[in-house]
Amino acid sequence: PQVLSTRSDIRDCSSDPPYLPPTATNSTARLAALRGILRTRGAHAYIVPSTDAHMSEYISERDARLGWLTGFTGSAGTAVVTQDKAALWTDSRYWTQAERELDCNWELQRTTSIESIGMWILEAVPAEGNVSLDPFLFSIDTWNSYSRALYGSGRTLLPLETNLVDQAWGDQRPLPSSSEIYSLPAEFTGSRWQEKVAGIRQRMEQHVRRPTAVLLSGLEETAWLFNLRGDDIPYNPVFYSYTLLTNTTISLFVEESRLSAGARESLGSGCPGPLCVELQEYGQVSSHLRSYAQGNVTVWLGTEYTTYGLYSIIPQEKLLEENYSPVMMAKAVKNAHEQEMLRAAHVRDAVAVIQYLLWLEKTVPQGQVDEFSGAQHINALRWAQEHSRGPSFQSISASG
């Protein structure tokens, strides 16, 4: 404890007045706004995850609700807010970071288990209380885990379609991306999107349940299927979208105005007919799915990337659930051309790394390089390689 108290880079909530480092975020007004909304909704607690509506590993600034509310910018965490308490759960990678970024409104819970979040909720929320959340930000498994944790306790899990953090965030919330969604040149893909669609439809016909549609929620799935790319999420060549692929129709839910002329031409090339991509507004996926699910249908989906919100729209008897969709499974098997492209990309990257090591050997003895300038230099070397679209994650440099 004595060692801790001498550190000036982390918060100390036991001192009077509490000590906060300059890296901490003042969350008082944000919590007050969220609690006001909770009161009007008659909810006793609100759960805020670190994910987006596509269960992406990385998220955009617009989806960084946990970061905005708490100040904590780690990639994994969960917050729960009641009228008089607020807590953040994260794993050991981020404990020190959380102590630097949180103010004293927050309890830090050094675990990530849903059981421990459930126990905290049972203590903080009265017996007949509502625990609310946005069902479009929770995986099916996570929703079920919360359901089990609260089962038989008298507390109700209350799905709210309006996200309450977004309401509190208001017009300060970053705007959605407006950058172009473009077609990947044929030389990189090894197969046209029409061939990929035909392959998925074949899998549908061969499946013992004979599904009538495949629902795609993972952003990589739609990007791969149509040979399209975007940059809605840093370090990831994806764009916000959903796809509903049936035996005879293709519905792509995306912001149409962002499609490049080439992408639009490619998608429309099979119209009219079973290879015609019908463009729908991104926000229309729920209502479209709801009306489709009223027919005599079976919807095939991968549970790893589908949110509970979308899953709950489809009646249980009309669902075909597997861990991964047939598109994710097809995408995992690279054809000969894709393998060749992968190898070529690794060779280009290896050239940049060798150039970097040579530069380090010359420059480090002069005492001119730190981790940050080193990371900047290797980024520049990679950008100089042909076809570079930037790194796949932010450089993780050495320390000391």
Side-chain angles (χ1 to χ4, degrees):
Q2 287 165 326
V3 175
L4 273 181
S5 63
T6 60
R7 288 183 62 162
S8 60
D9 65 331
I10 63 171
R11 64 183 186 159
D12 181 359
C13 298
S14 61
S15 68
D16 189 23
Y19 170 75
L20 294 176
T23 46
T25 294
N26 181 345
S27 65
T28 303
R30 297 170 186 189
L31 278 168
L34 180 60
R35 284 171 171 149
I37 296 165
L38 273 177
R39 266 195 300 278
T40 62
R41 291 288 190 139
H44 297 92
Y46 194 61
I47 309 176
V48 184
S50 55
T51 52
D52 68 5
H54 302 271
M55 302 291 107
S56 306
E57 182 183 359
Y58 296 85
I59 58 169
S60 69
E61 279 189 5
R62 181 175 170 79
D63 285 319
R65 298 172 177 91
L66 185 74
W68 175 79
L69 183 66
T70 66
F72 170 69
T73 59
S75 69
T78 303
V80 182
V81 176
T82 68
Q83 281 307 330
D84 56 356
K85 287 189 169 142
L88 172 84
W89 285 257
T90 190
D91 65 70
S92 56
R93 292 174 298 170
Y94 294 119
W95 292 345
T96 304
Q97 181 177 336
E99 296 285 13
R100 288 175 178 152
E101 294 180 333
L102 298 176
D103 64 11
C104 291
N105 289 317
W106 294 92
E107 301 168 23
L108 175 61
Q109 304 287 335
R110 294 165 190 260
T111 164
T112 54
S113 80
I114 289 175
E115 291 76 28
S116 77
I117 300 175
M119 298 286 288
W120 188 92
I121 289 172
L122 293 182
E123 282 185 24
V125 173
E128 299 305 308
N130 289 325
V131 180
S132 54
L133 42 71
D134 178 344
F136 292 95
L137 292 182
F138 288 83
S139 72
I140 300 159
D141 280 352
T142 306
W143 174 279
N144 290 338
S145 299
Y146 279 109
S147 233
R148 282 194 297 274
L150 300 180
Y151 182 76
S153 70
R155 282 85 173 168
T156 311
L157 208 51
L158 180 68
L160 297 175
E161 300 225 349
T162 308
N163 189 288
L164 305 191
V165 174
D166 293 353
Q167 249 182 300
W169 204 345
D171 57 10
Q172 296 302 299
R173 186 180 174 213
L175 294 168
S177 175
S178 56
S179 62
E180 191 174 71
I181 299 165
Y182 58 94
S183 277
L184 199 63
E187 70 208 71
F188 294 109
T189 62
S191 50
R192 294 161 60 244
W193 70 259
Q194 291 89 340
E195 293 160 10
K196 294 180 179 180
V197 165
I200 300 303
R201 282 177 170 158
Q202 198 176 352
R203 289 185 183 217
M204 290 162 68
E205 279 169 33
Q206 290 166 350
H207 198 288
V208 63
R209 291 268 317 268
R210 299 300 286 271
T212 59
V214 173
L215 174 66
L216 304 179
S217 291
L219 299 182
E220 299 158 41
E221 299 180 289
T222 290
W224 178 84
L225 185 64
F226 297 111
N227 294 332
L228 295 175
R229 297 292 185 268
D231 60 2
D232 291 11
I233 297 178
Y235 310 109
N236 290 262
V238 294
F239 52 92
Y240 288 108
S241 55
Y242 295 95
T243 300
L244 188 68
L245 172 66
T246 76
N247 305 329
T248 54
T249 65
I250 309 168
S251 298
L252 170 58
F253 300 86
V254 68
E255 211 54 62
E256 187 180 343
S257 61
R258 297 179 48 205
L259 290 167
S260 72
R264 206 172 299 219
E265 191 184 334
S266 165
L267 296 172
S269 59
C271 298
L275 285 172
C276 176
V277 180
E278 294 163 28
L279 298 172
Q280 314 258 4
E281 279 302 304
Y282 171 74
Q284 291 300 305
V285 66
S286 296
S287 56
H288 187 94
L289 192 59
R290 194 169 279 114
S291 66
Y292 179 76
Q294 286 170 0
N296 181 22
V297 298
T298 303
V299 180
W300 191 359
L301 53 80
T303 53
E304 288 288 322
Y305 288 88
T306 308
T307 61
Y308 182 80
L310 281 183
Y311 171 82
S312 62
I313 289 172
I314 307 158
Q316 203 63 42
E317 69 279 3
K318 296 180 180 183
L319 266 172
L320 167 54
E321 299 172 49
E322 289 178 4
N323 284 353
Y324 298 101
S325 78
V327 168
M328 215 42 127
M329 301 304 280
K331 172 182 168 294
V333 181
K334 304 302 178 194
N335 64 35
H337 186 74
E338 286 172 317
Q339 291 178 34
E340 197 185 312
M341 293 291 101
L342 278 168
R343 289 190 193 98
H346 278 288
V347 170
R348 289 194 299 275
D349 194 63
V351 171
V353 173
I354 291 163
Q355 289 172 328
Y356 180 57
L357 294 173
L358 191 65
W359 178 80
L360 284 178
E361 281 177 21
K362 288 179 180 168
T363 322
V364 169
Q366 299 165 18
Q368 299 296 306
V369 189
D370 58 29
E371 288 87 350
F372 184 69
S373 65
Q376 285 182 306
H377 190 72
I378 192 162
N379 279 351
L381 292 171
R382 285 181 160 140
W383 270 116
Q385 288 294 323
E386 197 184 3
H387 308 307
S388 173
R389 287 271 175 181
S392 57
F393 54 85
Q394 203 169 357
S395 287
I396 299 173
S397 287
S399 176

